[in-house]
Amino acid sequence: MFGESLATGLVIHLLKQYSIWQPRSRSDDTGRLSEHQLQKVFKYVQDHLEQDIALSDMASVLNLSQYHFCRLFKQSTGLAPHQYLTQCRIDRAKHLLQFTQLTITEITFAVGLNNHSSFTRLFRRYVGTTPKEFRASL
């Protein structure tokens, strides 16, 4: 019995070390959105950033349930959909602060947020400074 176990262990070691074929885990081919699907969602978010985008809106782009979409999106990008959406809004706000003369309130609405104070709080959390200070530092 010991000899058989030793032989089996040796065969497994040789196969792992010297075999060309590599087994793929199930997570390699399932549980992720394809590149095409991701680009479709990214485009939708960029095109509708000034609107109130719900999780159901993003999921409907790919005809998936909210739960399934959320799980696949996070597995594919490392971010939850709302984190990605917030990051896109902050990036757009930074761009608008740099390259336009829009007021901070106008930028707030242009990135899909409802009030100036929540925008300022969110901007400070992600960038480390207020929008006014960010613009002044440019």
Side-chain angles (χ1 to χ4, degrees):
M1 188 178 256
F2 176 72
E4 286 179 23
S5 296
L6 194 58
T8 302
L10 179 62
V11 168
I12 290 171
H13 172 74
L14 291 173
L15 286 173
K16 281 184 177 180
Q17 295 299 317
Y18 302 105
S19 176
I20 295 173
W21 176 79
Q22 293 291 321
R24 288 181 16 186
S25 67
R26 293 190 72 219
S27 65
D28 289 344
D29 55 4
T30 61
R32 295 186 184 273
L33 295 172
S34 70
E35 190 62 34
H36 174 71
Q37 289 174 313
L38 282 173
Q39 291 305 318
K40 201 171 177 182
V41 173
F42 294 163
K43 182 171 177 8
Y44 177 83
V45 168
Q46 290 301 321
D47 291 347
H48 298 90
L49 200 56
E50 71 283 348
Q51 300 170 3
D52 185 24
I53 302 173
L55 179 62
S56 59
D57 299 331
M58 293 167 65
S60 67
V61 170
L62 301 179
N63 295 321
L64 297 172
S65 72
Q66 292 179 35
Y67 171 78
H68 195 60
F69 170 76
C70 192
R71 189 174 57 77
L72 294 177
F73 189 88
K74 181 152 187 167
Q75 192 71 19
S76 302
T77 63
L79 296 171
H82 76 277
Q83 291 172 318
Y84 173 75
L85 181 59
T86 301
Q87 189 60 55
C88 287
R89 287 184 167 148
I90 296 299
D91 290 344
R92 171 89 51 96
K94 286 167 50 177
H95 177 80
L96 292 173
L97 286 165
Q98 263 182 310
F99 298 108
T100 69
Q101 293 303 315
L102 295 173
T103 66
I104 294 173
T105 303
E106 291 171 328
I107 291 172
T108 298
F109 294 118
V111 297
L113 296 171
N114 294 328
N115 64 58
H116 177 74
S117 63
S118 64
F119 169 66
T120 301
R121 189 171 46 254
L122 192 65
F123 193 89
R124 179 180 287 202
R125 186 179 325 139
Y126 276 78
V127 181
T129 184
T130 66
K132 184 177 180 179
E133 292 167 348
F134 179 82
R135 181 176 266 172
S137 71
L138 299 175

